Amino acid sequence: MNNTSTHMASESSISSRWLLKSVAIWALFVGIGVFGLTLYGVVRFYSPVPWWDEWDGYIGFYRNLTMGFWGGWWIPHMEHRLLLPRALFWLDIRVFGGMHYFLFFIEQAMLAAIAALVWREYARGRRVVAPVGWLIGYPLALIFSWVQSEVLKWGFEVQVIAAYLFAVAAAAQFSRLDGNRSAHLYSALFLATVAEVSMGNGMVAFVMLGIQGMIMRRPLRELLTVALWGGVAIAVYFFGYESPHIPHPPMSLLSKLRSFLEFFLVFLGNPLAFLAGDRFVVCFVAGFISLSTATAATLQLFRTRQISSYRGFLIAVYGFVVLSALAATTGRGYGGAGAAVASRYTTGPLLAWVALVFLLMDVTTRESRRLLLAAAATLFSTVLAVSQTHVVDDASYLEQWKLAVLAHKVGLDRPELDALLFPGDAHDHFVSLADFAADQQVALYGKGWLRDAGAVHYSANARDDNWCHGWFDAISDDSAGFVAKGWVVAKTGQRDLLIVLANESGTTIGYGLSGQERDDVTKVMGRSAKHAGWTGFLRPTDGNVLAYAYRDQQFCYIGKFKHTIQ
């Protein structure tokens, strides 16, 4: 009887290990797939054109420096002092040409660094050994998930990832109990300070360290050091600080509390907002489950004195996300659940779920329960992976962004296009920033087609019709003037070709840009012509209009539109 029971138990153990291995393999497959598709999405949605806050925070910041206003490094951008992001913006413009490649690379590198920190702390202090495939795949699937697409598609949002990265690094340093404890403490405080000057929520990194120190029962001297350093850093942050005016709707106290609670819990469940149906309820429930589970686990571990260095790190990371949610709630909670589902809020909750699952994996003693936890986490990552289908969403609006800056640069401004880049009710401010960038050839304005637009004029002596072929389709009018369209293909495959429009006498009367998708041309000429479409803006003229592609000081004839513009 005993032999039979032992045999059955052995078979059950073998079966559990086989299932766990299968889950790990699938988790690794999902994680690598998410990672690869996100990198593809970043490339697909890449744009060097500044967008929205970036006109003030990137171009405007650089204008401040050129005018000798060094306070531009420290003045708030909304609620945030962006000292570190501005250093990255400056490097992007001055060292890397201002084309945003550097910013997008840094974003991905920072996400990878967050994953690496989690793996390092796991290797240093875990009690339970997790399957390697699951250990790699699960964090990759969440940390690189496309549900945070607004952050991943916008170089300006490097601030979001930076705040989380340096807070995680601070928690990792403070959790270390080996070697020189004072060195670990002060390096943690320095990293928390960097988080503070990355984004406003970075301030709560000091609160995170204080809570982390208390639950790990750190010496009073260390807790006082954290309080003193954090207090000074926060006081410096608010010295001369002017809170931005954000209008809020009038609300009763009960309505306000309900709205804030909805925002807070939906924030924590934000990654599931991409699901169809009543996503607010799904996010609310997910946030509640996440928070209640983390709270119960932390209290139990604290009561039983089982908070190790590694567990303290994971609890601190989760706590930083909760504190960030509270900070966001104080400023944005008036919008309730609807305001909490923005994808720019998703990075934190994704990180929180990684920390929570890793914590539960480490405290779960029974093999069967660890299998269930790993399977549930992998199922969750698989559901999130469905969002990766959006990496192939329509990206044609990026061409409209280019046309907006082109039209303004050549003096044929289209306010309706400018409104895609900057609020329409602040159009004059956009114009002043764009004029500065054009005059000083800042970033994109000093490169290629946008640099040449308005500066290059057609010359018959520089004509070479051998390197391209195309067609001039039509001319129409819009609210601001005339619009020309056609297609062009360069033999070298170049996509963004400046189009120069001239009249019969050779006088330049307008400019355009290629790069728009033309399915009709693709069907005839193949995929090399997928982005052959061009759009141009021109002034009225008598006689026919001729279109030329321009590159490397050479004009290539595209076609003539045989209509007179009056």
Side-chain angles (χ1 to χ4, degrees), residues 247-293:
H248 301 303
M251 302 173 71
S252 66
L253 178 60
L254 184 61
S255 296
K256 182 177 177 180
L257 290 174
R258 177 179 177 178
S259 182
F260 275 37
L261 179 62
E262 288 178 351
F263 182 97
F264 175 67
L265 289 177
V266 170
F267 182 106
L268 293 177
N270 172 295
L272 291 175
F274 79 95
L275 295 174
D278 196 345
R279 59 181 184 165
F280 295 153
V281 172
V282 173
C283 293
F284 186 93
V285 172
F288 176 79
I289 292 173
S290 170
L291 181 63
S292 58
T293 302

Side-chain angles (χ1 to χ4, degrees), residues 33 106 160 165 172 175 222 230 240 290 341 366 379 395 401 479 488 532 537:
I106 286 293
V160 173
L165 169 61
S175 70
E222 294 185 359
S290 170
V341 295
R366 292 178 58 178
L379 175 62
W401 288 8
S479 59
V488 62
F537 307 105

